[in-house]
Amino acid sequence: ALSVTVQPRCKIIRFILIQNRAGKTRLAKWYMQFDDDEKQKLIEEVHAVVTVRDAKHTNFVEFRNFKIIYRRYAGLYFCICVDVTDNNLAYLEAIHNFVEVLNEYFHNVCELDLVFNFYKVYTVVDEMFLAGEIRETSQTKVLKQLLMLQSLE
Amino acid sequence: MPAVSKGDGMRGLAVFISDIRNCKSKEAEIKRINKELANIRSKFKGDKALDGYSKKKYVCKLLFIFLLGHDIDFGHMEAVNLLSSNKYTEKQIGYLFISVLVNSNSELIRLINNAIKNDLSSRNPTFMCLALHCIANVGSREMAEAFAGEIPRILVAGDTMDSVKQSAALCLLRLYKTSPDLVLMGEWTSRVVHLLNDQHMGVVTAAISLITCLSQKNPDEFKTCVSLAVSRLSRIVSSASTDLQDYTYYFVPAPWLSCKLLRLLQCYPPPEDGAVKGRLVECLETILNKAQEPPKSKKVQHSNAKNAILFEAISLIIHYDSEPNLLVRACNQLGQFLQHRETNLRYLALESMCTLASSEFSHEAVKTHIETVINALKTERDVSVRQRAADLLYAMCDRSNAKQIVAEMLSYLETADYSIREEMVLKVAILAEKYAVDYSWYVDTILNLIRIAGDYVSEEVWYRVIQIVINRDDVQGYAAKTVFEALQAPACHENMVKVGGYILGEFGNLIAGDPRSSPLVQFNLLHSKFHLCSVPTRALLLSAYIKFINLFPETKSTIQEVLRSDSQIRNSDVELQQRAVEYLKLSSIASTDVLATVLEEMPPFPERESSILAKLKKKKGPGAVSVNELEEGKREGGELNGGGERGGDSSAIASTPSPSADLLGLRTGPPVTAAAPSTGSLLVDVFSEAGVNDDGFLSTQVSKIYNTVLVVFGYFNKKILHIVPLNDLSERELVTINEQTPQGVFVMAPFLKMFRALTCTILLGLGMALLENVDPNPENFVCAGVIQTKAQQVGSLLRLEPNAQAQMYRLTVRSSKDTVSKRLCELLAEQF
């Protein structure tokens, strides 16, 4: 049998970042322990790495000993940092799924929505991702839940 | 300012955020923030209790300020208070604050855990989820202690809402990862596995992550998940697009769940049950078939989702490595992707095919794509795609295409990104060695590597080429000739000088007949590079020079002239100076026989595991080099010398970053390092496995014993010392050479002295010289001598360690021929 085993590696989303082109962080969700300095460094590095890429590049970047799956939507970079053995396309579409939900929830979402409603963005994230894993993928179900929560006092 | 929803207005927050955004400078921002902090502080300290709404608003502001990058040192108490509100919006902010600003204050932790406990038992699914999410986000040990018992119960309880189950599953996963000892699955195992059958796909999606993690740690306990996973996958894959409504994404049914199921199956070997296996194979075939069907949508989301499943399925097929049909089909599918217009797919196809290349079933199929891959190497614009192409060429390399692939990789190296050069060099070196039928090709390849990417040719690589040249008579002449020519280049890399210096020093005689490469020409060529080189290289060159004196006596005066010059014998570097001085002396006082013995051609190296493979593995991390490859490397390495023993300590050595590093697991390499000889190094080191002086140049010890003066001298090659008895040499002269002071004399106990005297007589009777003050243990005897046989001289070292108390002794003999060692031991054992 082929012996490239991947099992012992920790397969978990390390973090999810939404950054604008200037490097401002609009969302940072961490699924592993990093201290504040490390987080800052990671944020800067990710920004440096993704902003130099263009259409001729893939949507995957090797990053330290992980990889980043990212996509740019208008002025925002959505980045998910996963294990090198994770499924690139699955996470690429997980990003898109998430963006479509944000779009629906905020009615044509723009960067400002994420700024002024930052505390709600965390709720959306927690509906779809938890503990470094994908939690829910049905847009219908997520939106239904979000609208219900919206109505609560 | 975008409209905020009616539920939780928080107009004050929106105004504050606007203010911050309108600040024209960093100072203005800080000023505004400080103003707000002061405001909030006073509100929190104020006499009248704040209502929930206000508290929520201020805590939220604090959170915002923190996320901007400013430290917050208050507000935790208020956030914790919000947890006990019965309003969702207030709880949510409270939980968010404490998840983001985790605090280790034990009092707060207690309060937080209390609030969580209340919410968990509240039977309100919204509150339960908030609590579960908090635990999942924080995952502290205290939370694990408090809740690890409760959460499995919630997870499997019949009346738990679906959304709560989803959160509970992942919450439990987090706790299991951070505090595995506190999460005891035991009684819950079967019910957790059963979640795979849940009718709510979201629950399955969440549960499967938990199950995957648990089954990696406890495969046997969770193995019932395999058949359930196969059924589930089968149902999804064969479902019509109208089923699974909520979970169909761009016409692809449950893509993420499918991927997770396929991933779970990779934790186990192929199912033993025939029916299950059949179903699974059918599933995989369906997935492969679907890839060939015309797409249901032109959107990239559709094809990405579909291909996500396809790639995961291929990973599973590769993992099983048991269905030739599937493997070949996978390879063909990937082959199509190699030419896809989307870079993502070309990248993934190259990556995936790399693993396929190592399977015996698909190796040949992979090879058929060699031209496409070579083309990718040359034309892809994303360097990471080019790298995958290089990796794939490496993986598909075998005897039939090695020359072509190595040539392509060399040409790629000429323009490759600096970040990948070292790895490429290692790979080319490995391939060249592994598939060399004609070793002159191998030598050419390595020299090309040095020429093209000299800076990235690590020690392991050029040590290896030297080792191979030394071990293979048939390529020595070619190597000497080629390296001589390579050195002619006006600007050649220092590594080339090292290799050239060493090879010419050993085999320069093979090309000395040709006037164009006569001894003096060779010497001048080397010496012309001397001043351009670093200290270690110069040290190597000096050794080459003394070897020249031995090989070509006509060069003696020229070379001695060089050695004698101030820049050598007064060189500020200790190593260079010592070598110059000692080589000069050696060349003056040693007879031609002695010189020839000392500077005898390097004997073949014993077989060791190639450290190049080990280095590549270290570079790329585990899993990058398959075990197959490593094992093959070991087997192939055996071809070098017709088999031999494996290096014992090679792994230990690979981890020690010694500068003269790891010549294939040997503890010493060709004498190239500039490490100063340690003044404490003892002859006795030769006996011990540990503590070997890595430096090629052993420091000398002088002992005046009876009527024989011995100078122990030579290169520390394979732990064998060339011993040169020198007669008629005064002690003083010897001292000049090594400038070492003999150790002090010890006083021994009387009875031991007698014992010693007796033993001494026996040892001396052998004709060996007894060396005093060499072994740190005064009770031991250390001897050295040269056994003269008809055919040759055999140097021998001996150590006798008596243990008077135990009435036992240990006798160690070491010589350059192991038969001699054995015989000596036998003879001596009779005596004692």
Side-chain angles (χ1 to χ4, degrees), chain A residues 2 4 7 11 29 57-59 62 85 87 90 93 100 119-120 123 133-136 138 153, chain B residues 5 88-89 92 137 163 166-167 209 247 249-250 256 260 263 266 301 304 308 312 344 382 388 623:
Chain A
L2 295 175
V4 179
Q7 291 158 23
K11 289 209 256 295
K29 182 78 194 185
H57 291 106
T58 59
N59 290 86
E62 279 158 24
T85 55
N87 188 320
E93 289 312 312
E100 286 195 346
Y119 54 99
K120 292 189 183 177
T123 307
E133 301 280 347
I134 292 174
R135 178 185 175 276
E136 177 58 76
S138 159
E153 220 194 331
Chain B
S5 55
Y88 164 76
T89 56
Q92 192 248 329
N137 286 328
S163 63
Q166 279 177 275
S167 300
S209 297
Y247 288 88
Y249 175 81
Y250 286 88
W256 294 281
K260 286 197 182 200
R263 185 48 102 50
Q266 285 171 60
Q301 282 74 34
N304 280 347
E312 201 67 58
N344 285 344
D382 182 333
R388 294 288 85 78

Tab-separated table of all heavy atoms in Angstrom, chain A residues 2 4 7 11 29 57-59 62 85 87 90 93 100 119-120 123 133-136 138 153, chain B residues 5 88-89 92 137 163 166-167 209 247 249-250 256 260 263 266 301 304 308 312 344 382 388 623:
chain	number	residue	atom	x	y	z
A	2	LEU	N	0.394	2.297	-0.533
A	2	LEU	CA	1.145	3.541	-0.505
A	2	LEU	C	1.216	4.019	0.926
A	2	LEU	O	0.308	3.827	1.700
A	2	LEU	CB	0.446	4.594	-1.358
A	2	LEU	CG	0.411	4.254	-2.835
A	2	LEU	CD1	-0.399	5.286	-3.572
A	2	LEU	CD2	1.802	4.202	-3.411
A	4	VAL	N	2.054	7.151	2.166
A	4	VAL	CA	2.010	8.544	2.607
A	4	VAL	C	0.771	8.716	3.477
A	4	VAL	O	-0.315	8.962	2.998
A	4	VAL	CB	1.924	9.502	1.394
A	4	VAL	CG1	1.849	10.932	1.852
A	4	VAL	CG2	3.126	9.298	0.508
A	7	GLN	N	-2.903	10.744	8.446
A	7	GLN	CA	-3.797	10.794	9.592
A	7	GLN	C	-3.315	11.531	10.825
A	7	GLN	O	-4.063	12.290	11.391
A	7	GLN	CB	-4.205	9.378	9.973
A	7	GLN	CG	-5.099	8.775	8.928
A	7	GLN	CD	-5.084	7.274	8.981
A	7	GLN	OE1	-4.777	6.704	9.998
A	7	GLN	NE2	-5.409	6.645	7.882
A	11	LYS	N	-6.055	17.964	11.467
A	11	LYS	CA	-6.825	18.548	10.382
A	11	LYS	C	-7.872	19.452	10.994
A	11	LYS	O	-8.882	19.007	11.492
A	11	LYS	CB	-7.486	17.447	9.553
A	11	LYS	CG	-6.450	16.685	8.747
A	11	LYS	CD	-7.030	16.148	7.482
A	11	LYS	CE	-7.288	14.661	7.591
A	11	LYS	NZ	-6.072	13.876	7.735
A	29	LYS	N	-11.162	34.958	12.954
A	29	LYS	CA	-11.707	33.912	13.814
A	29	LYS	C	-10.624	32.854	13.970
A	29	LYS	O	-10.153	32.318	12.986
A	29	LYS	CB	-12.949	33.302	13.158
A	29	LYS	CG	-13.621	32.253	13.979
A	29	LYS	CD	-14.468	32.850	15.087
A	29	LYS	CE	-14.832	31.789	16.087
A	29	LYS	NZ	-15.746	32.245	17.115
A	57	HIS	N	-2.554	32.972	-10.749
A	57	HIS	CA	-2.217	32.096	-9.628
A	57	HIS	C	-3.393	31.221	-9.237
A	57	HIS	O	-4.538	31.516	-9.544
A	57	HIS	CB	-1.816	32.920	-8.398
A	57	HIS	CG	-0.526	33.637	-8.554
A	57	HIS	ND1	-0.436	34.989	-8.752
A	57	HIS	CD2	0.753	33.176	-8.535
A	57	HIS	CE1	0.835	35.347	-8.851
A	57	HIS	NE2	1.574	34.265	-8.729
A	58	THR	N	-3.084	30.181	-8.512
A	58	THR	CA	-4.163	29.352	-7.977
A	58	THR	C	-4.762	30.064	-6.764
A	58	THR	O	-4.238	31.062	-6.289
A	58	THR	CB	-3.626	27.994	-7.495
A	58	THR	OG1	-2.649	28.234	-6.484
A	58	THR	CG2	-3.010	27.214	-8.625
A	59	ASN	N	-5.854	29.504	-6.263
A	59	ASN	CA	-6.465	30.061	-5.056
A	59	ASN	C	-5.909	29.418	-3.801
A	59	ASN	O	-6.525	29.474	-2.741
A	59	ASN	CB	-7.984	29.836	-5.081
A	59	ASN	CG	-8.647	30.672	-6.125
A	59	ASN	OD1	-8.733	30.257	-7.278
A	59	ASN	ND2	-9.091	31.865	-5.757
A	62	GLU	N	0.769	27.911	-0.223
A	62	GLU	CA	1.429	27.251	0.889
A	62	GLU	C	1.881	28.321	1.856
A	62	GLU	O	2.423	29.338	1.461
A	62	GLU	CB	2.659	26.475	0.380
A	62	GLU	CG	2.292	25.148	-0.216
A	62	GLU	CD	3.357	24.638	-1.162
A	62	GLU	OE1	4.529	25.045	-1.020
A	62	GLU	OE2	3.016	23.844	-2.047
A	85	THR	N	-3.075	18.856	3.908
A	85	THR	CA	-3.738	17.710	3.304
A	85	THR	C	-5.234	17.913	3.124
A	85	THR	O	-5.938	17.012	2.698
A	85	THR	CB	-3.545	16.475	4.196
A	85	THR	OG1	-4.007	16.805	5.509
A	85	THR	CG2	-2.079	16.092	4.271
A	87	ASN	N	-8.863	19.410	1.672
A	87	ASN	CA	-9.426	19.457	0.327
A	87	ASN	C	-9.585	20.913	-0.114
A	87	ASN	O	-10.450	21.636	0.373
A	87	ASN	CB	-10.774	18.736	0.342
A	87	ASN	CG	-11.343	18.555	-1.048
A	87	ASN	OD1	-11.258	19.445	-1.894
A	87	ASN	ND2	-11.911	17.395	-1.292
A	90	ALA	N	-13.031	21.997	-1.708
A	90	ALA	CA	-14.116	21.970	-0.730
A	90	ALA	C	-14.101	23.253	0.102
A	90	ALA	O	-15.143	23.858	0.355
A	90	ALA	CB	-13.991	20.744	0.178
A	93	GLU	N	-15.100	26.420	-1.907
A	93	GLU	CA	-16.547	26.575	-1.999
A	93	GLU	C	-17.186	26.830	-0.642
A	93	GLU	O	-18.248	27.443	-0.560
A	93	GLU	CB	-17.180	25.372	-2.691
A	93	GLU	CG	-16.862	25.319	-4.180
A	93	GLU	CD	-17.098	26.656	-4.892
A	93	GLU	OE1	-18.171	27.273	-4.695
A	93	GLU	OE2	-16.190	27.095	-5.633
A	100	GLU	N	-22.067	33.865	0.225
A	100	GLU	CA	-23.446	33.946	-0.271
A	100	GLU	C	-24.423	34.147	0.889
A	100	GLU	O	-25.415	34.876	0.768
A	100	GLU	CB	-23.804	32.707	-1.085
A	100	GLU	CG	-23.134	32.703	-2.449
A	100	GLU	CD	-23.733	31.698	-3.430
A	100	GLU	OE1	-24.501	30.804	-3.004
A	100	GLU	OE2	-23.431	31.814	-4.632
A	119	TYR	N	-20.305	42.230	15.295
A	119	TYR	CA	-20.702	41.231	16.289
A	119	TYR	C	-21.666	40.219	15.677
A	119	TYR	O	-21.756	39.090	16.138
A	119	TYR	CB	-21.304	41.883	17.531
A	119	TYR	CG	-22.442	42.822	17.240
A	119	TYR	CD1	-23.769	42.406	17.388
A	119	TYR	CD2	-22.210	44.130	16.804
A	119	TYR	CE1	-24.812	43.272	17.107
A	119	TYR	CE2	-23.256	44.992	16.518
A	119	TYR	CZ	-24.559	44.558	16.664
A	119	TYR	OH	-25.594	45.403	16.371
A	120	LYS	N	-22.367	40.607	14.624
A	120	LYS	CA	-23.274	39.664	13.967
A	120	LYS	C	-22.528	38.735	13.031
A	120	LYS	O	-22.942	37.600	12.801
A	120	LYS	CB	-24.331	40.415	13.162
A	120	LYS	CG	-25.294	41.163	14.011
A	120	LYS	CD	-26.421	41.686	13.168
A	120	LYS	CE	-27.351	42.516	14.037
A	120	LYS	NZ	-28.417	43.107	13.237
A	123	THR	N	-21.729	35.648	14.600
A	123	THR	CA	-22.852	34.715	14.687
A	123	THR	C	-22.979	33.907	13.409
A	123	THR	O	-23.208	32.698	13.450
A	123	THR	CB	-24.167	35.488	14.943
A	123	THR	OG1	-23.983	36.322	16.072
A	123	THR	CG2	-25.308	34.525	15.197
A	133	GLU	N	-14.135	23.235	12.195
A	133	GLU	CA	-14.746	22.341	11.218
A	133	GLU	C	-15.946	23.013	10.592
A	133	GLU	O	-16.481	23.985	11.126
A	133	GLU	CB	-15.230	21.058	11.909
A	133	GLU	CG	-14.150	20.291	12.610
A	133	GLU	CD	-13.317	19.450	11.665
A	133	GLU	OE1	-13.733	19.273	10.501
A	133	GLU	OE2	-12.253	18.976	12.085
A	134	ILE	N	-16.387	22.455	9.470
A	134	ILE	CA	-17.616	22.957	8.859
A	134	ILE	C	-18.790	22.445	9.677
A	134	ILE	O	-18.897	21.252	9.962
A	134	ILE	CB	-17.698	22.490	7.390
A	134	ILE	CG1	-16.594	23.182	6.576
A	134	ILE	CG2	-19.062	22.790	6.807
A	134	ILE	CD1	-16.477	22.701	5.147
A	135	ARG	N	-19.667	23.358	10.071
A	135	ARG	CA	-20.773	22.956	10.932
A	135	ARG	C	-22.075	22.787	10.148
A	135	ARG	O	-22.783	21.829	10.322
A	135	ARG	CB	-20.977	23.988	12.043
A	135	ARG	CG	-22.150	23.689	12.982
A	135	ARG	CD	-22.373	24.823	13.990
A	135	ARG	NE	-23.562	24.592	14.803
A	135	ARG	CZ	-24.787	24.905	14.443
A	135	ARG	NH1	-24.998	25.477	13.270
A	135	ARG	NH2	-25.823	24.646	15.242
A	136	GLU	N	-22.399	23.758	9.324
A	136	GLU	CA	-23.656	23.697	8.571
A	136	GLU	C	-23.403	24.257	7.185
A	136	GLU	O	-22.726	25.274	7.038
A	136	GLU	CB	-24.728	24.517	9.301
A	136	GLU	CG	-26.070	24.597	8.581
A	136	GLU	CD	-26.683	23.234	8.317
A	136	GLU	OE1	-27.212	22.623	9.256
A	136	GLU	OE2	-26.638	22.779	7.147
A	138	SER	N	-26.088	24.217	4.634
A	138	SER	CA	-27.308	24.596	3.928
A	138	SER	C	-27.580	26.083	4.113
A	138	SER	O	-27.836	26.543	5.228
A	138	SER	CB	-28.494	23.798	4.459
A	138	SER	OG	-29.695	24.459	4.152
A	153	GLU	N	-35.070	39.421	21.114
A	153	GLU	CA	-34.711	40.637	21.821
A	153	GLU	C	-33.327	40.549	22.425
A	153	GLU	O	-32.972	39.502	22.963
A	153	GLU	CB	-35.737	40.850	22.938
A	153	GLU	CG	-36.117	42.277	23.090
A	153	GLU	CD	-36.847	42.523	24.387
A	153	GLU	OE1	-37.508	41.569	24.863
A	153	GLU	OE2	-36.741	43.627	24.936
B	5	SER	N	-30.558	46.561	12.175
B	5	SER	CA	-31.841	45.860	12.282
B	5	SER	C	-32.552	46.268	13.551
B	5	SER	O	-31.951	46.759	14.506
B	5	SER	CB	-31.605	44.365	12.267
B	5	SER	OG	-30.694	44.046	13.287
B	88	TYR	N	-31.598	37.176	24.597
B	88	TYR	CA	-30.608	36.598	23.678
B	88	TYR	C	-29.535	37.607	23.293
B	88	TYR	O	-28.344	37.301	23.330
B	88	TYR	CB	-31.290	36.060	22.419
B	88	TYR	CG	-30.303	35.800	21.287
B	88	TYR	CD1	-29.471	34.684	21.307
B	88	TYR	CD2	-30.173	36.705	20.230
B	88	TYR	CE1	-28.540	34.466	20.298
B	88	TYR	CE2	-29.247	36.492	19.230
B	88	TYR	CZ	-28.433	35.373	19.262
B	88	TYR	OH	-27.501	35.174	18.267
B	89	THR	N	-29.943	38.816	22.877
B	89	THR	CA	-28.954	39.760	22.357
B	89	THR	C	-27.916	40.108	23.413
B	89	THR	O	-26.743	40.310	23.107
B	89	THR	CB	-29.603	41.066	21.853
B	89	THR	OG1	-30.366	41.644	22.921
B	89	THR	CG2	-30.492	40.804	20.662
B	92	GLN	N	-25.658	37.083	23.930
B	92	GLN	CA	-24.768	36.889	22.787
B	92	GLN	C	-23.537	37.769	22.904
B	92	GLN	O	-22.414	37.318	22.686
B	92	GLN	CB	-25.523	37.184	21.487
B	92	GLN	CG	-24.769	36.732	20.228
B	92	GLN	CD	-24.282	37.901	19.364
B	92	GLN	OE1	-24.908	38.962	19.328
B	92	GLN	NE2	-23.196	37.703	18.666
B	137	ASN	N	-15.401	27.625	21.403
B	137	ASN	CA	-14.469	28.682	21.038
B	137	ASN	C	-13.346	28.838	22.047
B	137	ASN	O	-12.239	29.211	21.701
B	137	ASN	CB	-15.209	30.020	20.888
B	137	ASN	CG	-16.026	30.064	19.612
B	137	ASN	OD1	-15.659	29.477	18.608
B	137	ASN	ND2	-17.168	30.757	19.668
B	163	SER	N	-30.126	21.481	15.834
B	163	SER	CA	-29.061	22.492	15.835
B	163	SER	C	-28.182	22.347	17.065
B	163	SER	O	-26.975	22.582	17.015
B	163	SER	CB	-29.652	23.895	15.771
B	163	SER	OG	-30.437	24.142	16.920
B	166	GLN	N	-25.737	19.531	16.497
B	166	GLN	CA	-24.624	19.960	15.646
B	166	GLN	C	-23.552	20.642	16.490
B	166	GLN	O	-22.362	20.359	16.374
B	166	GLN	CB	-25.108	20.969	14.600
B	166	GLN	CG	-25.763	20.364	13.393
B	166	GLN	CD	-26.265	21.435	12.461
B	166	GLN	OE1	-27.374	21.955	12.627
B	166	GLN	NE2	-25.474	21.769	11.474
B	167	SER	N	-24.015	21.579	17.313
B	167	SER	CA	-23.064	22.333	18.125
B	167	SER	C	-22.415	21.447	19.173
B	167	SER	O	-21.224	21.575	19.454
B	167	SER	CB	-23.766	23.523	18.774
B	167	SER	OG	-24.299	24.370	17.770
B	209	SER	N	-17.240	14.950	11.707
B	209	SER	CA	-15.942	15.495	12.091
B	209	SER	C	-15.494	14.902	13.414
B	209	SER	O	-14.329	14.566	13.605
B	209	SER	CB	-16.008	17.013	12.194
B	209	SER	OG	-16.320	17.580	10.947
B	247	TYR	N	-29.559	20.764	0.814
B	247	TYR	CA	-28.127	20.500	0.835
B	247	TYR	C	-27.527	20.348	-0.546
B	247	TYR	O	-26.408	19.890	-0.699
B	247	TYR	CB	-27.820	19.283	1.722
B	247	TYR	CG	-28.015	19.628	3.178
B	247	TYR	CD1	-29.267	19.490	3.779
B	247	TYR	CD2	-26.973	20.150	3.926
B	247	TYR	CE1	-29.456	19.862	5.098
B	247	TYR	CE2	-27.152	20.521	5.250
B	247	TYR	CZ	-28.401	20.384	5.826
B	247	TYR	OH	-28.586	20.765	7.130
B	249	TYR	N	-25.946	22.049	-3.635
B	249	TYR	CA	-25.215	23.301	-3.861
B	249	TYR	C	-24.851	23.348	-5.336
B	249	TYR	O	-24.060	22.536	-5.819
B	249	TYR	CB	-23.955	23.293	-2.980
B	249	TYR	CG	-23.005	24.452	-3.149
B	249	TYR	CD1	-23.239	25.676	-2.520
B	249	TYR	CD2	-21.834	24.314	-3.898
B	249	TYR	CE1	-22.360	26.735	-2.656
B	249	TYR	CE2	-20.947	25.376	-4.042
B	249	TYR	CZ	-21.223	26.578	-3.415
B	249	TYR	OH	-20.342	27.630	-3.538
B	250	TYR	N	-25.450	24.257	-6.073
B	250	TYR	CA	-25.172	24.372	-7.501
B	250	TYR	C	-25.270	23.004	-8.195
B	250	TYR	O	-24.377	22.591	-8.937
B	250	TYR	CB	-23.775	24.986	-7.739
B	250	TYR	CG	-23.719	26.465	-7.456
B	250	TYR	CD1	-23.435	26.934	-6.182
B	250	TYR	CD2	-24.007	27.397	-8.451
B	250	TYR	CE1	-23.419	28.293	-5.911
B	250	TYR	CE2	-23.992	28.760	-8.194
B	250	TYR	CZ	-23.706	29.206	-6.913
B	250	TYR	OH	-23.688	30.555	-6.654
B	256	TRP	N	-19.967	18.877	0.674
B	256	TRP	CA	-19.076	18.859	1.823
B	256	TRP	C	-19.240	17.589	2.638
B	256	TRP	O	-18.281	17.021	3.139
B	256	TRP	CB	-19.306	20.090	2.709
B	256	TRP	CG	-18.916	21.347	2.014
B	256	TRP	CD1	-17.669	21.841	1.844
B	256	TRP	CD2	-19.799	22.258	1.343
B	256	TRP	NE1	-17.717	23.008	1.109
B	256	TRP	CE2	-19.012	23.285	0.795
B	256	TRP	CE3	-21.193	22.315	1.150
B	256	TRP	CZ2	-19.549	24.350	0.078
B	256	TRP	CZ3	-21.729	23.375	0.433
B	256	TRP	CH2	-20.904	24.381	-0.092
B	260	LYS	N	-16.453	14.748	3.430
B	260	LYS	CA	-16.156	14.299	4.796
B	260	LYS	C	-16.302	12.788	4.930
B	260	LYS	O	-15.522	12.144	5.625
B	260	LYS	CB	-17.070	15.000	5.793
B	260	LYS	CG	-16.718	16.452	6.033
B	260	LYS	CD	-17.381	16.947	7.310
B	260	LYS	CE	-17.093	18.406	7.571
B	260	LYS	NZ	-17.312	18.784	8.962
B	263	ARG	N	-13.387	11.258	3.439
B	263	ARG	CA	-12.244	11.477	4.311
B	263	ARG	C	-12.255	10.493	5.476
B	263	ARG	O	-11.218	9.942	5.852
B	263	ARG	CB	-12.292	12.916	4.821
B	263	ARG	CG	-11.154	13.388	5.636
B	263	ARG	CD	-9.820	13.100	5.070
B	263	ARG	NE	-9.100	14.165	4.410
B	263	ARG	CZ	-8.872	15.379	4.875
B	263	ARG	NH1	-9.381	15.774	6.001
B	263	ARG	NH2	-8.144	16.237	4.179
B	266	GLN	N	-10.932	7.197	4.661
B	266	GLN	CA	-9.481	7.115	4.522
B	266	GLN	C	-8.779	6.805	5.841
B	266	GLN	O	-7.564	6.610	5.873
B	266	GLN	CB	-8.924	8.423	3.939
B	266	GLN	CG	-9.205	8.561	2.448
B	266	GLN	CD	-8.847	9.937	1.921
B	266	GLN	OE1	-7.705	10.344	1.997
B	266	GLN	NE2	-9.840	10.640	1.397
B	301	GLN	N	-18.738	27.334	-9.416
B	301	GLN	CA	-19.089	26.726	-8.133
B	301	GLN	C	-19.533	25.289	-8.328
B	301	GLN	O	-19.222	24.407	-7.526
B	301	GLN	CB	-20.224	27.507	-7.438
B	301	GLN	CG	-19.805	28.780	-6.757
B	301	GLN	CD	-19.504	29.908	-7.717
B	301	GLN	OE1	-20.140	30.005	-8.771
B	301	GLN	NE2	-18.551	30.737	-7.368
B	304	ASN	N	-16.395	23.238	-9.134
B	304	ASN	CA	-15.545	23.101	-7.937
B	304	ASN	C	-16.130	22.099	-6.954
B	304	ASN	O	-15.424	21.268	-6.390
B	304	ASN	CB	-15.366	24.451	-7.239
B	304	ASN	CG	-14.312	25.322	-7.913
B	304	ASN	OD1	-13.558	24.836	-8.744
B	304	ASN	ND2	-14.267	26.580	-7.534
B	308	ALA	N	-14.396	18.755	-6.016
B	308	ALA	CA	-13.963	18.550	-4.629
B	308	ALA	C	-14.214	17.100	-4.248
B	308	ALA	O	-13.364	16.427	-3.657
B	308	ALA	CB	-14.701	19.493	-3.683
B	312	GLU	N	-11.409	14.038	-3.603
B	312	GLU	CA	-11.414	13.281	-2.350
B	312	GLU	C	-11.578	11.803	-2.641
B	312	GLU	O	-10.959	10.951	-1.994
B	312	GLU	CB	-12.530	13.792	-1.428
B	312	GLU	CG	-12.325	13.462	0.027
B	312	GLU	CD	-11.137	14.181	0.655
B	312	GLU	OE1	-11.122	15.424	0.634
B	312	GLU	OE2	-10.232	13.491	1.165
B	344	ASN	N	-6.294	26.164	-11.012
B	344	ASN	CA	-6.566	25.372	-9.801
B	344	ASN	C	-6.576	23.883	-10.115
B	344	ASN	O	-5.993	23.071	-9.402
B	344	ASN	CB	-7.932	25.736	-9.201
B	344	ASN	CG	-7.907	27.068	-8.486
B	344	ASN	OD1	-6.849	27.596	-8.178
B	344	ASN	ND2	-9.083	27.611	-8.208
B	382	ASP	N	2.353	30.121	-12.529
B	382	ASP	CA	2.347	30.142	-11.067
B	382	ASP	C	3.461	29.213	-10.589
B	382	ASP	O	3.468	28.031	-10.922
B	382	ASP	CB	0.976	29.671	-10.553
B	382	ASP	CG	0.854	29.714	-9.032
B	382	ASP	OD1	1.887	29.612	-8.324
B	382	ASP	OD2	-0.275	29.824	-8.538
B	388	ARG	N	4.779	21.698	-8.377
B	388	ARG	CA	4.056	20.420	-8.380
B	388	ARG	C	4.512	19.589	-9.573
B	388	ARG	O	4.623	18.361	-9.494
B	388	ARG	CB	2.539	20.631	-8.451
B	388	ARG	CG	1.904	21.285	-7.266
B	388	ARG	CD	1.847	20.390	-6.037
B	388	ARG	NE	3.064	20.434	-5.249
B	388	ARG	CZ	3.389	21.390	-4.424
B	388	ARG	NH1	2.570	22.396	-4.241
B	388	ARG	NH2	4.524	21.354	-3.768
B	623	GLY	N	5.791	12.495	5.551
B	623	GLY	CA	4.768	12.229	4.557
B	623	GLY	C	5.136	12.733	3.180
B	623	GLY	O	4.473	12.430	2.209
